[in-house]
Amino acid sequence: MKKGIAALFLGLLFVLGACGNAGDTSDTEENLEAGEEVYRNNCANCHGNDLSGNGGPELADIGSKYSPEQIEDIVHEGIGSMPPQTQVEGEDLQELSSWLSEQ
């Protein structure tokens, strides 16, 4: 009897696992994750891991101030005392600006 219950429980686990959406990530979620990685590798030193500022301005609400395109321009051209960040280009720049616009 106990083996039957254990087998039923194990079978239920497999069925529920197969029904989950862990492998069903959208392109947007993947881009946001990639954008956060670009941020951590290039921006976090000045703006903090949590966007709270670390010598540079706080970016916690950057998405309510600027569009992704404007954020791309700011990163690429610089603003105020922030110099242009020419090492972030192409897809990395798009992913970063998309992720920041959601913050």
Side-chain angles (χ1 to χ4, degrees):
M1 179 76 175
K2 287 184 181 181
K3 288 182 182 180
I5 292 173
L8 179 64
F9 180 71
L10 187 57
L12 184 60
L13 267 169
F14 284 123
V15 169
L16 291 175
C19 292
N21 64 359
D24 185 23
T25 58
S26 69
D27 289 340
T28 302
E29 288 173 350
E30 289 174 8
N31 287 340
L32 293 180
E33 291 172 10
E36 183 174 11
E37 183 176 342
V38 173
Y39 175 84
R40 297 215 184 270
N41 292 334
N42 296 281
C43 312
N45 278 345
C46 293
H47 298 286
N49 282 334
D50 61 355
L51 306 169
S52 65
N54 185 29
E58 177 182 341
L59 299 178
D61 61 349
I62 190 86
S64 66
K65 296 178 182 177
Y66 300 106
S67 69
E69 294 79 17
Q70 290 171 314
I71 293 171
E72 281 187 33
D73 289 342
I74 291 169
V75 171
H76 196 253
E77 297 172 12
I79 190 171
S81 62
M82 180 181 134
Q85 304 301 305
T86 56
Q87 76 279 9
V88 181
E89 295 184 333
E91 188 174 331
D92 283 348
L93 181 58
Q94 291 174 348
E95 290 168 346
L96 173 65
S97 63
S98 177
W99 182 77
L100 284 171
S101 71
E102 295 294 323
Q103 304 308 306

